[in-house]
Amino acid sequence: MAVKFLDLHKQYLSIKNEIDRAIFSVIKTCAFVGGVEVEAFEKEFASFISEGILGGGVQALGVANGTDALEIAIRALELPRDSVVLVPANSFVASAEAVVSNGLRVKFVDCGEDYSLDIADLKAKIDSEVSAIVVVHLYGIPANMEEILRLAKEWNLKIIEDCAQAHGARFNGQRVGSFGDVGAFSFYTGKNLGAYGDGGMIVSKDSALLRKCKEIAHHGGLRKYQHKIVGRNSRLDALQAAILRVKLRYLEAWNARRKEVAQMYFKGLSGFTLPKVASDRECVWHLFVLRCENCSAIMESLHKVGIQTGLHYPTALPNTPAFFKKPYVVASECKNANAWQDKILSLPMGEHLENDEVEKVIKILKENC
């Protein structure tokens, strides 16, 4: 019995009729760019992120992908050129790329036992050159927003939430993406809420900031042929919006199943080094990552019996050629990220998993460790 890391075909079959209707509805109207599907999804996603916030207030803007969402959001903040932005050392490369592409410098911050920003290291690395913090809710585990917001207020820093892996995750009952100055989501196919291609979303409670993001994303203007600034072209297309509207209705149920799978792993793999998630966090388990000394051998043993795994991420960002000893990187030590980069292993995770598949993963792991 093979155990898939991700099974998008199984997911599609479970909602096939609704997805097919949504796709053919867009094709029938030929409204492929903008239009009612995009507008409706922006409103529905904003409402989803706003849930639990008194008065709501979060607004959303669809863009082409999650990297665009980060780049545009950071540009709209108009941070001082060449200032420093703090970024987690353990994250996908887009978290740091978006900073550098905006003419800013990166200083990497270490990760803690929950794999998000280590608060002590974050505090130690803030100085007068720092203008903002990119907070990545990695693996679907919310970062400690209470402490991060306190530090941001103390130092007058902007907060960009990278929520690419955390659709629906909550800190103290409030959904991530609604804490900082601006939040960025990815709808890449493998995400908890994934398109059938690519897509992204910028969210903010600051309507003026979101308006600026829209100008940047729409060739520098809000009306055709009226270009106030030099912008770019980044739009969420209507087909993807229609698909995402259907899938958004299932997201909480899918996330609930991910939590059940995670609990099976926690119960069955108690002898392993597993993520430490505080009680004030509601994790949506985009990935379930454990640490082990003989990671490569364990990965090979799992693959031999048809269990797919992943590495997230095999090299800490400061050690990649793009960021190692570069002039746009402020040198800083990240002990945990360096020590753990060859010890982390991502197990199969998703609503597609049956209990016997999870049990098989647990059994093989125990036999090989």
Side-chain angles (χ1 to χ4, degrees):
M1 178 182 68
V3 181
K4 292 186 177 181
F5 189 77
L6 182 68
D7 195 339
L8 294 178
H9 186 251
K10 182 177 179 180
Q11 185 191 76
Y12 164 66
L13 292 177
S14 72
I15 53 174
K16 180 181 185 301
N17 291 339
E18 291 171 82
I19 290 289
D20 290 354
R21 280 197 301 270
I23 291 172
F24 284 109
S25 175
V26 174
I27 293 172
K28 185 177 179 179
T29 62
C30 293
F32 299 115
V33 179
V36 295
E37 292 291 345
V38 174
E39 291 172 6
F41 179 58
E42 288 173 340
K43 289 178 182 177
E44 289 161 6
F45 192 75
S47 177
F48 175 75
I49 298 302
S50 298
E51 186 180 306
I53 303 174
L54 187 62
V58 174
Q59 300 176 50
L61 171 69
V63 292
N65 54 67
T67 303
D68 279 6
L70 283 169
E71 289 182 357
I72 292 167
I74 292 172
R75 178 178 168 183
L77 289 171
E78 297 182 350
L79 301 171
R81 189 165 184 83
D82 206 37
S83 63
V84 175
V85 178
L86 300 175
V87 178
N90 181 32
S91 182
F92 183 60
V93 67
S95 305
E97 276 180 333
V99 173
V100 176
S101 69
N102 275 290
L104 303 161
R105 291 181 292 154
V106 172
K107 184 189 288 187
F108 289 108
V109 179
D110 209 357
C111 51
E113 289 290 343
D114 62 355
Y115 298 108
S116 65
L117 285 169
D118 180 81
I119 298 300
D121 195 53
L122 176 67
K123 185 176 181 179
K125 288 176 178 174
I126 298 175
D127 58 31
S128 59
E129 290 189 305
V130 175
S131 62
I133 306 169
V134 173
V135 180
V136 182
H137 303 292
L138 196 69
Y139 308 150
I141 304 172
N144 187 342
M145 292 310 302
E146 184 177 6
E147 286 299 312
I148 292 169
L149 290 171
R150 184 184 62 78
L151 288 169
K153 183 177 181 180
E154 179 184 343
W155 287 86
N156 192 29
L157 305 177
K158 298 295 185 182
I159 298 292
I160 304 102
E161 289 185 76
D162 182 343
C163 310
Q165 300 183 6
H167 309 73
R170 298 177 191 259
F171 178 85
N172 277 337
Q174 183 176 329
R175 294 200 197 276
V176 300
S178 62
F179 289 93
D181 296 276
V182 65
F185 287 82
S186 167
F187 302 124
Y188 180 72
T189 54
K191 305 301 185 186
N192 291 37
L193 180 62
Y196 288 173
D198 217 333
M201 191 76 83
I202 302 170
V203 300
S204 181
K205 288 177 280 192
D206 186 337
S207 57
L209 179 63
L210 203 66
R211 182 184 177 90
K212 197 179 298 182
C213 289
K214 190 171 184 178
E215 285 184 348
I216 295 167
H218 292 188
H219 292 294
L222 300 180
R223 298 181 65 181
K224 197 172 184 179
Y225 305 133
Q226 295 185 11
H227 314 290
K228 293 172 62 178
I229 60 173
V230 176
R232 61 195 289 176
N233 178 25
S234 183
R235 295 177 291 213
L236 177 64
D237 74 67
L239 276 170
Q240 301 303 342
I243 291 163
L244 289 164
R245 288 186 71 195
V246 173
K247 296 180 79 172
L248 181 59
R249 297 196 288 267
Y250 291 90
L251 179 59
E252 293 206 76
W254 291 340
N255 283 345
R257 177 55 185 164
R258 286 174 178 267
K259 293 170 192 173
E260 290 175 354
V261 173
Q263 287 308 308
M264 290 182 69
Y265 282 144
F266 276 116
K267 185 177 180 180
L269 300 172
S270 57
F272 290 77
T273 305
L274 304 176
K276 290 180 170 59
V277 183
S279 59
D280 55 7
R281 325 288 164 88
E282 184 181 334
C283 179
V284 293
W285 299 109
H286 174 62
L287 297 168
F288 192 94
V289 177
L290 56 77
R291 291 203 312 274
C292 45
E293 291 299 324
N294 52 340
C295 184
S296 296
I298 292 173
M299 195 173 185
E300 185 177 348
S301 297
L302 291 169
H303 284 195
K304 282 181 179 178
V305 293
I307 298 172
Q308 298 176 352
T309 58
L311 297 173
H312 301 88
Y313 296 91
T315 307
L317 289 178
N319 301 329
T320 63
F323 296 99
F324 184 67
K325 293 185 177 179
K326 295 295 183 182
Y328 44 77
V329 177
V330 179
S332 64
E333 189 174 18
C334 297
K335 291 182 180 179
N336 289 340
N338 288 335
W340 297 347
Q341 64 182 1
D342 58 353
K343 296 180 174 64
I344 51 178
L345 179 65
S346 301
L347 303 181
M349 171 53 74
E351 78 285 344
H352 68 284
L353 291 168
E354 303 294 340
N355 284 357
D356 59 343
E357 293 178 311
V358 181
E359 289 165 359
K360 177 179 179 179
V361 175
I362 293 169
K363 179 177 180 291
I364 299 301
L365 276 168
K366 284 184 170 180
E367 289 175 353
N368 288 274
C369 294

